[in-house]
Amino acid sequence: MQIRENISLRQYNTFGIDVRARYFASFARIEEIEEWIERNSSVMRVILGGGSNLLFTRNIDGVVLKNEIMGIEEITEDEHDVYVRAGAGENWHRFVQHCLTRNWAGLENLSLIPGNVGAAPMQNIGAYGVELQEVFNSLSAYHIRERKIHHFTAGDCAFGYRESIFKKQYKNQFIILNVTFRLRKRPVFHTAYGAIREELEKMQVKELSIQAISQAVINIRSSKLPDPSQIGNAGSFFKNPEVSNKKFEMLKKQYPEIPHYPAKVYPNATRVTTNEVKLAAGWLIEQCGWKGVRRGNAGVHAKQALVLVNYGNATGKEIYELSEDVVRSVHKKFGVTLEREVNIL
Ligand code: EPU
C-alpha cells in the first residue's frame, strides 16, 4: 500500500471542501491495509467511499483510507430473483446501470444517487419511494480491531430512515467490503411517489419499464438537485423531521398547506421513533426564507432548500455555520428540530 502525505481532500468529497489529510491511501483489497492499520492503531482513521455524504470542517490529522474494492458478480438466482454482489468501492449509479442493462429490477428509483455501493447500506439510501433495505440481501464487513470479516443480514444492519448500525453502535468499527443485492427478474414498478408519473407522461412513455422509470428519476433529480461536479453539495443536508400527531395538528392549524407523510416504521432500527408524521424539511426551510440564500461561498440551493451548496471556496465551517442558522430559524418558527443527514468530520 502506498501512503501519501499531506494530501488535499478536495477531489474526494462532493462538497469540494479543501482540507488536507496527514496520510492518504486507497485500497482495492483489505489485505493491503490490514497490517498498516495494526501497526498504526493510534492514528485516527477515516474510511472514505465516494465522499458524497460528508462535510469536512477541519484537516484530518490521521489517515484517510479510500475504499476502492471493485467487482460486480452474479452470485446465484432462483425463479424470481437474482443475487448480485458488488464491491463497496463501485460507483453507485454505474452499478445501477449495470443492473438495468441486464433487466434486473429494484434499483431504478435509486438512479443517480451520488456515492459508492459501500455507503448505500451505511445510511439506507432512499429516493422516490424506495429504500436500499428493500433490495438488500447481505453484506460483508471487516472488523478493524478483531481483523475478522463479519457477515450481516438485513436484520443485523438495523436499518432506519437514513440510518443503520454502521452509523450508530458500530460507527468507525467496520469497513464494508461488499454488498449483495436481491433483485427481481420481473419488475414491480414504484411510480406513486412525487413527480414520477408526471415525468413519465412528459416523456410519453407508452410501455412502463425499469429503464423508463430510471430515466424519469434521472430527469427529476437533474432538474432539482445540483450536480456535484458543477456545484459542491452532499444531497439533502438534513433529514425530514418526524413529529407527533399532536404537534402536527398544531402546525396544520397554522399552516394548512404543510406537506406531510405518515412516518415509516422501521422494526429493526436502533432508535425506534414513536412519532407518527414526517414533515418536509425543504418546505420548512423555504418557509423561513432560506431558499436561494447565498452567504459568501456557502448557500441554500435555489431549487431545493434541503441542499446546502459550496459556490466555490467555502470552508466546511462556513457551510456548517449556515446549517446552524437554518436549524435555529426552523426551530424558532415551527418548534421543530432539524437533524443533519450529512456526516460532519
Ligand atoms: N419542498 C419545498 N421546498 C423545497 C424543497 C421541498 O416546499 O425547497 C417540498 C416539496 O414541494 C415537497 C416536499 O417538500 O412537497 C418534499 O420534497 P421532495 O420530494 O423534493 O423530497 P425531499 O423530502 O426534500 C427526499 C430525500 C431525497 C430524495 C427525495 C426524493 C431526505 C432527507 N431526502 O427529499 O434524498 O431524493 O426525497 O425521494 O429524505 C438525500 O438523501 O441526499 C436525498 C437527496
Side-chain angles (χ1 to χ4, degrees):
M1 161 174 98
Q2 196 209 347
I3 286 266
R4 293 189 289 151
E5 282 183 49
N6 193 24
I7 294 298
S8 166
L9 296 175
R10 187 177 205 141
Q11 56 166 311
Y12 298 111
N13 71 101
T14 59
F15 251 125
I17 305 292
D18 193 11
V19 292
R20 301 190 90 78
R22 186 157 164 207
Y23 305 112
F24 182 96
S26 51
F27 62 99
R29 291 180 319 122
I30 199 70
E31 292 80 2
E32 293 172 26
I33 56 169
E34 267 189 307
E35 267 182 41
W36 193 91
I37 293 181
E38 182 140 313
R39 269 190 281 116
N40 298 278
S41 57
S42 60
V43 174
M44 181 259 214
R45 287 178 302 263
V46 173
I47 312 292
L48 195 64
S52 62
N53 201 46
L54 54 85
L55 178 67
F56 286 120
T57 57
R58 59 191 162 86
N59 290 329
I60 302 297
D61 188 23
V63 63
V64 171
L65 297 167
K66 184 159 166 24
N67 189 335
E68 290 185 349
I69 300 175
M70 308 306 268
I72 301 176
E73 207 183 333
E74 189 184 332
I75 301 295
T76 180
E77 61 182 292
D78 56 31
E79 196 190 332
H80 304 290
D81 301 311
V82 42
Y83 292 77
V84 188
R85 185 163 65 205
E90 288 284 348
N91 171 270
W92 175 261
H93 186 61
R94 266 207 312 269
F95 171 62
V96 171
Q97 285 173 317
H98 176 101
C99 297
L100 283 169
T101 55
R102 283 157 183 79
N103 263 323
W104 298 334
L107 301 172
E108 51 283 359
N109 293 50
L110 303 175
S111 296
L112 211 61
I113 295 183
N116 290 354
V117 165
M122 185 87 87
Q123 54 179 27
N124 189 21
I125 58 170
Y128 303 101
V130 174
E131 280 182 328
L132 173 106
Q133 60 175 359
E134 289 151 50
V135 287
F136 177 90
N137 180 67
S138 60
L139 65 79
S140 298
Y142 175 79
H143 192 285
I144 297 172
R145 202 169 27 80
E146 289 175 10
R147 291 184 69 163
K148 267 199 202 129
I149 294 174
H150 291 229
H151 196 70
F152 290 80
T153 62
D156 300 331
C157 292
F159 291 125
Y161 168 51
R162 296 295 193 278
E163 289 292 354
S164 77
I165 200 148
F166 301 104
K167 274 180 102 176
K168 301 269 179 194
Q169 288 105 303
Y170 292 168
K171 196 170 172 170
N172 298 331
Q173 294 183 32
F174 283 91
I175 299 175
I176 296 180
L177 304 176
N178 57 61
V179 184
T180 303
F181 298 82
R182 186 166 69 117
L183 303 174
R184 289 174 187 273
K185 292 181 174 172
R186 271 183 297 274
V188 174
F189 300 124
H190 299 277
T191 58
Y193 188 98
I196 292 193
R197 279 211 194 105
E198 224 175 281
E199 185 59 36
L200 287 165
E201 264 169 46
K202 223 193 308 166
M203 288 161 55
Q204 300 187 328
V205 168
K206 305 242 155 41
E207 202 180 324
L208 201 52
S209 65
I210 55 174
Q211 290 76 12
I213 293 178
S214 170
Q215 193 54 53
V217 168
I218 289 173
N219 295 351
I220 301 167
R221 286 190 79 97
S222 326
S223 73
K224 281 209 274 195
L225 297 167
D227 176 350
S229 68
Q230 309 289 323
I231 176 166
N233 76 93
S236 299
F237 197 89
F238 303 99
K239 293 184 190 180
N240 285 327
E242 289 167 352
V243 298
S244 66
N245 258 331
K246 192 165 156 233
K247 171 78 186 171
F248 171 65
E249 289 306 329
M250 275 161 56
L251 286 168
K252 199 166 171 237
K253 265 199 204 114
Q254 218 180 334
Y255 308 97
E257 72 290 6
I258 187 168
H260 60 280
Y261 322 89
K264 199 165 159 175
V265 179
Y266 296 88
N268 294 317
T270 318
R271 186 184 56 181
V272 179
T273 129
T274 48
N275 287 330
E276 298 93 348
V277 185
K278 188 183 265 191
L279 305 175
W283 186 88
L284 299 171
I285 297 168
E286 183 176 348
Q287 295 300 306
C288 293
W290 285 105
K291 199 169 183 170
V293 168
R294 177 170 177 169
R295 198 198 271 168
N297 275 313
V300 177
H301 189 50
K303 293 185 193 157
Q304 165 54 290
L306 197 46
V307 178
L308 301 190
V309 294
N310 173 9
Y311 283 107
N313 290 313
T315 62
K317 276 214 179 73
E318 277 176 90
I319 307 251
Y320 188 81
E321 276 161 18
L322 178 65
S323 80
E324 290 257 82
D325 288 347
V326 168
V327 171
R328 260 195 291 273
S329 73
V330 167
H331 189 263
K332 191 161 169 223
K333 190 171 169 77
F334 296 103
V336 173
T337 307
L338 293 183
E339 229 183 276
R340 289 173 185 82
E341 191 206 297
V342 167
N343 295 307
I344 311 293
L345 277 174

